[in-house]
């Protein structure tokens, strides 16, 4: 689908989500875990401050704002950057909808629901997302699920405007955790299905955190937001397997002058953060 043009721009002012052409990520595969129990840990202070400076230095040269969070499931390390205010999710909210749907159907989706879920994640189809949103109880239903799972800093958009949901990247990392954790609330069957969908998005929508390399399962969101005078919200979340690390990452951005500018910002931030976490020893908290 074209990302420029008056008709598409006008449509996006009302309905979140669409696509552009970059690269195709490799499918996500299980990443070997180290022996023993992984506990919560943190980057060493020097490494964390170095990453803070690196991200700050890059963003000073970029238009708009951005924030990110990463969880390295292999080491237990967590990192968050600029989480002071929530950002609009656009079509990243479809991952939240998928999580609630799969919890509602622990034995698996029926054929019609699978068709809707495939359209929603692989093609970012808004009509499919609307119908599934209603099936999980709309705003109230999704809010209940997220709060029950500890996703506490996410505020759903009013009415059916799920794309206007505002959230912090750490909350979206939590969504990915609940969706992909072998010991989590989602059944093994549904967990595999979610990763299958996110590992096979349309090639035109395969940009974002996939720029950090490795095995990828992702979902992106993009929207010229009228609340920001038509400037672009561009987001990317996903699960990466990089250098033996399993990483869950969310990068959110807003107020870019173009979609391409927003994509470049998101991809650079993902590369910087992933590189730092995969080459730096962590300290046990």
């Amino acid at each position: 689908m074209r990302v420029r043009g008056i008709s598409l721009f006008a449509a996006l002012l009302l309905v979140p989500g669409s696509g552009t052409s970059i690269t195709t990520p490799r499918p996500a595969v299980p990443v070997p875990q180290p022996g023993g129990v992984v506990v919560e840990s943190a980057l060493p202070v020097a490494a964390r401050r170095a990453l803070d400076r690196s991200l700050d230095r890059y963003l000073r040269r970029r238009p708009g704002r951005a924030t990110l969070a990463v969880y390295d499931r292999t080491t237990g390390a967590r990192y968050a950057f600029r989480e002071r205010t929530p950002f609009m999710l656009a079509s990243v909210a479809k991952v939240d909808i998928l999580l609630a749907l799969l919890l509602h159907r622990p034995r698996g989706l029926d054929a019609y629901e699978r068709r809707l879920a495939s359209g929603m994640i692989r093609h970012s189809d808004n009509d499919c997302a609307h119908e599934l949103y209603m099936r999980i109880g709309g705003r109230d239903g999704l809010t209940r699920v997220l709060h029950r799972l500890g996703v506490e800093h996410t505020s759903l958009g009013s009415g059916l405007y799920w794309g206007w949901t505002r959230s912090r990247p750490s909350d979206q990392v939590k969504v990915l955790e609940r969706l992909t954790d072998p010991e989590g609330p989602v059944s093994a069957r549904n967990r595999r299905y979610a990763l299958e969908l996110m590992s096979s998005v349309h090639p035109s929508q395969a940009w974002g955190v996939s720029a950090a390399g490795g095995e990828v399962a992702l979902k992106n969101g993009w929207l010229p937001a009228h609340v920001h005078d038509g400037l672009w919200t561009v987001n990317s979340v996903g699960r990466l397997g990089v250098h033996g690390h399993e990483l869950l990452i969310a990068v959110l951005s807003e107020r870019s002058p173009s979609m391409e500018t927003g994509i470049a910002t998101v991809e650079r931030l993902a590369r910087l953060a992933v590189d730092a976490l995969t080459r730096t020893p962590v300290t046990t908290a």
Side-chain angles (χ1 to χ4, degrees), residues 20-40:
T20 189
S21 179
I22 307 292
T23 59
T24 302
R26 287 178 288 165
V29 298
V31 177
Q33 298 291 324
V37 177
V38 174
V39 297
E40 288 293 304

Side-chain angles (χ1 to χ4, degrees), residues 28-93:
V29 298
V31 177
Q33 298 291 324
V37 177
V38 174
V39 297
E40 288 293 304
S41 54
L43 286 173
V45 173
R48 186 174 68 250
R49 289 176 178 171
L51 180 53
D52 286 345
R53 289 193 298 270
S54 179
L55 297 175
D56 266 321
R57 188 164 51 247
Y58 174 70
L59 287 174
R60 280 198 299 269
R61 305 192 300 269
R62 305 294 294 176
R65 302 192 309 134
T67 180
L68 67 83
V70 190
Y71 171 45
D72 186 338
R73 184 174 272 154
T74 303
T75 65
R78 292 183 186 272
Y79 173 81
F81 177 77
R82 290 190 179 178
E83 285 215 289
R84 291 183 294 272
T85 59
F87 281 56
M88 186 183 299
L89 290 185
S91 283
V92 161

Side-chain angles (χ1 to χ4, degrees), residues 61-282:
R61 305 192 300 269
R62 305 294 294 176
R65 302 192 309 134
T67 180
L68 67 83
V70 190
Y71 171 45
D72 186 338
R73 184 174 272 154
T74 303
T75 65
R78 292 183 186 272
Y79 173 81
F81 177 77
R82 290 190 179 178
E83 285 215 289
R84 291 183 294 272
T85 59
F87 281 56
M88 186 183 299
L89 290 185
S91 283
V92 161
K94 290 168 182 172
V95 180
D96 298 45
I97 295 172
L98 179 64
L99 173 60
L101 176 69
L102 296 178
L103 289 173
H104 190 58
R105 295 281 191 268
R107 296 184 179 180
L109 309 183
D110 61 33
Y112 182 58
E113 289 169 334
R114 288 174 68 88
R115 183 168 70 80
L116 292 174
S118 177
M120 177 177 72
I121 299 299
R122 287 175 166 147
H123 300 281
S124 206
D125 187 292
N126 291 319
D127 291 334
C128 293
H130 281 310
E131 183 156 350
L132 291 177
Y133 191 53
M134 296 306 298
R135 287 191 172 220
I136 63 172
R139 186 176 190 269
D140 291 341
L142 184 52
T143 297
R144 285 193 297 270
V145 169
L146 294 179
H147 285 180
R148 187 172 74 245
L149 296 176
V151 181
E152 301 172 344
H153 302 288
T154 296
S155 176
L156 275 292
S158 61
L160 294 177
Y161 290 100
W162 42 264
W164 293 356
T165 294
R166 302 187 71 83
S167 185
R168 297 181 184 180
S170 286
D171 259 18
Q172 294 311 299
V173 166
K174 285 183 181 179
V175 169
L176 294 170
E177 284 185 68
R178 307 303 187 259
L179 187 64
T180 64
D181 185 358
E183 305 300 326
V186 177
S187 68
R189 177 179 182 178
N190 282 345
R191 189 170 63 251
R192 289 191 298 270
Y193 180 62
L195 287 171
E196 175 189 335
L197 293 180
M198 295 175 67
S199 298
S200 55
V201 299
H202 191 274
S204 68
Q205 300 176 22
W207 45 267
V209 296
S210 58
E215 312 295 340
V216 182
L218 58 72
K219 181 70 189 82
N220 299 323
W222 56 102
L223 172 70
H226 74 279
V227 295
H228 297 146
D229 298 322
L231 295 175
W232 283 81
T233 286
V234 179
N235 305 320
S236 184
V237 305
R239 173 184 178 270
L240 307 178
V242 181
H243 305 313
H245 292 251
E246 181 186 4
L247 301 156
L248 304 178
I249 180 170
V251 186
L252 310 180
S253 76
E254 65 182 21
R255 308 186 194 206
S256 289
S258 69
M259 182 175 173
E260 292 79 5
T261 301
I263 289 174
T265 296
V266 165
E267 292 187 335
R268 179 59 175 164
L269 293 178
R271 286 194 295 266
L272 289 170
V274 168
D275 180 62
L277 266 76
T278 56
R279 62 179 168 80
T280 306
V282 297

